[in-house]
Amino acid sequence: MLASLRLFLLLLPSLSFSTLADKISYAELKNGDVITVTLDQLLPTQAVMSYDKEYALLYHYKKNEKNVFGALCKLNGGGKLKKWDENSSPTDLESYTCSKKLGSQTKDLASVVVGPEEGLLYLTTQHHLLSSFWDMPNGGTSVPINLKVTFNLLGSGDDFWPEMSNDNEVWLFDNKGKKLSPSDLPDFIGSKQLKEDKYLSLAYFLQGISYDLPQKKTDPNTKEPYPRVPYLALQWSLTLRKKMNADEYNFNNRDEFAAALTEAATVMVDLASDEKIGKTELPATAMGKFMDVDSKALETMLTSKKSEWYAATEYRIAKKKKATPKKLLEEQEKAAKEASANKEDNKDKKEKEKEKEKE
């Protein structure tokens, strides 16, 4: 009964918008097919996400609602936003217009794997972006999304998860870096189900600063670009977890968050070139490690109001203020000022003591 209901819900929106209007069962879905579903029909293939990556998206949505529909057009394979108005809704594909036919720009579509039972769709890419549509105030579970089928493993039974692991289509680690079983994966996307991984946030923001996509670098032995690495940022997050303690930093405080990023960037570039990263057998160089921190890029990120990090921290700060009672917030600000003043006093005392010693 449940599988039949999920099948009906899958195909209902497809009748209007999907290229699969003639499909009648999951068994007929082929690699490359485009389908239209609502967010609540998607099963995640990871248990964690970078809240800050999603916060940056939510900040842009809040700043200008046009950004919501621009993101929806792109992810739905419709190119750029062409037309929208105050009556447009993320839950209604007909209420806004994109520059291309929905589903036509397949390179922008998120991917799903079908199976092992009828009615099950496992999301394998774009967890952060789709979660932002789930978590935004005017979004939710009924937002329709076009996706492309990459594999149909219907009827694979007990071989389903081994095949998913073999194809690097699932990430089975929690926000403590501990191994999970497939049964531990959440039932839905969104921040209420996917747990925050602070190390993933650090790795996400440090791409282009202390490491980059491996395929952008050349293997000195083969003279060929290094191969693409699945779950690159997540692999780096596992290594960062072993080398530093992100819990020592309050990410709701911009200065502390910046200090955490600075430490993480230094940790990455200081790794031995042949050290294995995450759960891979690949050395740090093949995982895109830089020899030195790109200090200019780091400074730009931490000081520019146009950076994604600034957007994420703005959202964090606003979210914290909204959730914290005014009296407590004032007490926290007062305590922070006193701590800062004491720190300066201690610094002055030490400098005076050094001067006396010199005399």
Side-chain angles (χ1 to χ4, degrees), residues 58-338:
L58 294 175
Y59 170 81
H60 292 306
Y61 300 162
K62 185 177 180 180
K63 189 176 181 180
N64 189 341
E65 192 177 8
K66 180 181 178 181
N67 294 327
V68 172
F69 298 101
L72 283 167
C73 273
K74 184 175 177 59
L75 188 64
N76 272 307
K80 296 180 179 180
L81 177 64
K82 184 177 181 181
K83 185 180 179 181
W84 73 287
D85 57 39
E86 59 183 14
N87 296 316
S88 299
S89 170
T91 59
D92 183 2
L93 286 172
E94 292 187 309
S95 68
Y96 58 96
T97 307
C98 306
S99 61
K100 305 287 184 180
K101 181 181 177 182
L102 293 179
S104 64
Q105 309 302 296
T106 55
K107 62 181 177 54
D108 294 324
L109 299 175
S111 302
V112 289
V113 173
V114 180
E117 299 172 11
E118 189 127 326
L120 300 182
L121 292 172
Y122 283 91
L123 179 69
T124 56
T125 61
Q126 301 282 21
H127 284 75
H128 290 86
L129 188 51
L130 287 168
S131 289
S132 75
F133 298 149
W134 179 292
D135 290 332
M136 64 186 180
N138 54 347
T141 61
S142 57
V143 173
I145 295 291
N146 283 291
L147 309 108
K148 59 185 173 185
V149 175
T150 50
F151 295 104
N152 190 335
L153 300 179
L154 188 64
S156 57
D158 293 339
D159 293 329
F160 179 78
W161 288 112
E163 284 194 50
M164 290 285 282
S165 295
N166 185 62
D167 292 333
N168 291 306
E169 299 285 6
V170 62
W171 180 260
L172 294 173
F173 293 92
D174 66 12
N175 64 338
K176 303 294 182 184
K178 295 183 179 178
K179 196 81 169 65
L180 295 174
S181 66
S183 61
D184 295 322
L185 288 170
D187 295 323
F188 299 102
I189 59 174
S191 60
K192 288 185 178 179
Q193 291 269 322
L194 300 177
K195 303 299 183 184
E196 178 179 21
D197 189 336
K198 295 172 76 172
Y199 297 92
L200 179 56
S201 286
L202 295 174
Y204 166 64
F205 286 119
L206 289 174
Q207 183 179 322
I209 293 173
S210 53
Y211 81 104
D212 212 335
L213 300 176
Q215 56 266 36
K216 289 186 177 182
K217 299 182 68 178
T218 302
D219 186 334
N221 298 317
T222 64
K223 307 301 180 183
E224 296 290 333
Y226 285 110
R228 174 186 171 275
V229 178
Y231 300 109
L232 179 66
L234 282 160
Q235 295 287 2
W236 272 111
S237 73
L238 291 180
T239 293
L240 284 175
R241 186 182 299 278
K242 295 178 181 179
K243 304 292 183 178
M244 63 180 288
N245 184 5
D247 290 333
E248 291 180 349
Y249 300 95
N250 177 10
F251 281 21
N252 291 322
N253 180 293
R254 193 170 274 142
D255 290 337
E256 290 195 32
F257 198 163
L261 284 162
T262 302
E263 181 185 350
T266 304
V267 165
M268 288 174 128
V269 299
D270 285 348
L271 291 171
S273 296
D274 59 353
E275 180 163 345
K276 303 296 188 295
I277 302 302
K279 296 298 179 180
T280 73
E281 290 300 316
L282 297 173
T285 50
M287 293 289 281
K289 183 186 91 75
F290 288 176
M291 295 302 295
D292 298 290
V293 176
D294 188 334
S295 300
K296 186 176 181 180
L298 178 60
E299 182 182 2
T300 298
M301 181 182 72
L302 298 179
T303 57
S304 173
K305 292 185 177 182
K306 294 182 179 181
S307 74
E308 291 302 289
W309 180 76
Y310 179 85
T313 53
E314 278 291 284
Y315 190 87
R316 266 189 177 276
I317 293 168
K319 188 172 185 290
K320 184 176 184 296
K321 284 183 177 179
K322 186 177 180 180
T324 306
K326 184 177 179 181
K327 185 176 180 180
L328 179 58
L329 194 61
E330 290 173 348
E331 291 175 354
Q332 290 175 345
E333 290 176 350
K334 182 180 178 181
K337 288 180 181 178
E338 289 176 352

Side-chain angles (χ1 to χ4, degrees), residues 348-359:
D348 290 340
K349 286 179 182 179
K350 287 182 179 180
E351 288 178 354
K352 288 179 180 179
E353 288 175 359
K354 287 181 179 180
E355 289 177 2
K356 286 184 179 181
E357 289 176 1
K358 289 179 180 179
E359 294 176 356

